[in-house]
Amino acid sequence: MRATHEPLTVLVIEDDPLLGLDLSDALSHAGFRPAGPVATLTEAAREVSRRTPDVAILDVRLADGLSSGLARELRRRRVPFLVHSACRRDGALCPELRDAPWLAKPAWPPDVVAAVAELGSGRALR
């Protein structure tokens, strides 16, 4: 069980280094503990297996593929996530992401932080 005073860990999966750092910085300033940014599915899978995050932000397309498998793993671990992508919301592209909250890239960092806070509101105790 997690102590209520511990910040929620947010895994940032973003292949644009500046955008990933900007999101991580905004999350940190808002009181979250960012993990990443990580730029590939391989790095994201390694991070998830090392420590399951409380919430994740993921892009649809990364250098090593689509995020569909990662979305399945996050759902299996009951990790809420939101999609932050320049891709059009299209179920055919990645049906595993269809029901996730979706923010068009580049979203204003305070909007991303607010969406993460909403997703994480039920995660204070694991």
Side-chain angles (χ1 to χ4, degrees), residues 4-87:
T4 57
H5 65 278
E6 288 184 42
L8 296 178
T9 300
V10 181
L11 179 57
V12 179
I13 305 155
E14 174 57 58
D15 59 350
D16 179 311
L18 291 177
L19 194 49
L21 290 172
D22 191 35
L23 290 175
S24 292
D25 188 49
L27 290 163
S28 181
H29 280 87
F32 294 99
R33 181 180 350 169
V38 297
T40 66
L41 295 170
T42 303
E43 289 175 289
R46 187 177 12 219
E47 189 68 30
V48 168
S49 69
R50 187 177 68 77
R51 179 169 189 252
T52 300
D54 297 301
V55 179
I57 301 170
L58 67 137
D59 197 351
V60 174
R61 290 180 200 244
L62 298 168
D64 55 349
L66 296 176
S67 297
S68 53
L70 181 58
R72 282 191 300 274
E73 179 61 16
L74 291 170
R75 286 191 197 279
R76 187 185 76 71
R77 291 176 181 252
R78 296 182 172 174
V79 175
F81 61 87
L82 67 90
V83 177
H84 182 237
S85 180
C87 293

Side-chain angles (χ1 to χ4, degrees), residues 109-126:
D111 289 344
V112 177
V113 168
V116 166
E118 186 175 326
L119 283 174
S121 63
R123 303 294 293 189
L125 295 176
R126 239 192 229 272

